[in-house]
Amino acid sequence: MTSTGAHPISFAGRAANSPQFDALYAEGMTLVEETAAYLDGPGRAASKLLSARAAALYSAESIRLTTRLMQLASWLLLQRSLNSGEMSREQVIQERNKLRLGGGGDEEGLSAWRELPPGFRDLADHATRLETRIRKLDESLMRGHVQPEPANNQVIAQIDLLQTAFARR
């Protein structure tokens, strides 16, 4: 197989700069707004009617949900900044490494999960599905930016040694 200088197409890169990304971005930001409105309004009222055990779970899961959504919103904003040229790929990767995508648990496995208000459970489920989609896209994007190890080519290694040797004189 000969090298023609062609590079593989980055489908993940195209996906991050597409109408589908715009829809994902809109969905994520809308979910952040809906969750904030729910937690400040109907969720606050519903939490007052919960048992002590369910109220404690609601409080902990509310924090976890808002943290998850802020991480997802940060990722979406980074991608949008890259797409618009506001940030370089290197800057985005550096900032992306500060994010914690994933780490979501199995809420359904919590014994008091079913006691939580249905509106809250719906928002948490939506956030988990959105996170799964974003993580898959992120993994594809990050995989595309890992520099492959150069092949062990003895001729290139010898040329490098010669260049190094003559450059020192």
Side-chain angles (χ1 to χ4, degrees), residues 100-117:
R100 296 184 59 113
L101 296 177
D106 179 20
E107 292 89 356
E108 294 290 331
L110 299 172
S111 59
W113 182 254
R114 285 278 159 220
E115 294 178 46
L116 298 181

Side-chain angles (χ1 to χ4, degrees), residues 32-43:
V32 168
E33 291 173 11
E34 288 174 354
T35 301
Y38 177 84
L39 293 175
D40 285 342

Side-chain angles (χ1 to χ4, degrees), residues 8-167:
I9 296 171
S10 170
F11 290 108
R14 291 182 188 266
N17 196 10
S18 68
Q20 290 83 5
F21 174 79
D22 293 340
L24 183 68
Y25 180 86
E27 178 184 351
M29 293 306 166
T30 299
L31 183 58
V32 168
E33 291 173 11
E34 288 174 354
T35 301
Y38 177 84
L39 293 175
D40 285 342
R44 181 170 290 159
S47 70
K48 294 178 191 240
L49 304 174
L50 298 173
S51 68
R53 184 173 131 209
L57 178 62
Y58 179 83
S59 177
E61 289 299 312
S62 296
I63 293 168
R64 195 165 138 195
L65 175 60
T66 54
T67 301
R68 175 182 289 160
L69 289 173
M70 290 302 103
Q71 294 294 309
L72 297 177
S74 295
W75 186 90
L76 291 166
L77 289 166
L78 284 172
Q79 292 305 314
R80 190 177 78 170
S81 294
L82 177 63
N83 294 343
S84 68
E86 295 173 25
M87 294 178 75
S88 70
R89 181 162 308 287
E90 293 74 27
Q91 289 173 313
V92 168
I93 290 172
Q94 184 179 11
E95 292 301 315
R96 187 281 174 225
N97 289 334
K98 297 176 185 176
L99 297 178
R100 296 184 59 113
L101 296 177
D106 179 20
E107 292 89 356
E108 294 290 331
L110 299 172
S111 59
W113 182 254
R114 285 278 159 220
E115 294 178 46
L116 298 181
F120 179 82
R121 291 193 320 254
D122 290 344
L123 290 167
D125 290 342
H126 188 171
T128 299
R129 289 189 310 274
L130 180 65
E131 180 181 42
T132 299
R133 290 169 36 217
I134 286 176
R135 284 180 52 210
K136 286 179 183 178
L137 181 56
D138 181 68
E139 288 168 7
S140 296
L141 290 169
M142 294 306 285
R143 184 174 37 246
H145 298 294
V146 174
Q147 295 296 323
E149 298 255 343
N152 189 6
N153 185 325
Q154 294 298 321
V155 173
I156 292 175
Q158 290 299 315
I159 291 172
D160 287 343
L161 285 173
L162 288 170
Q163 288 175 339
T164 302
F166 286 110

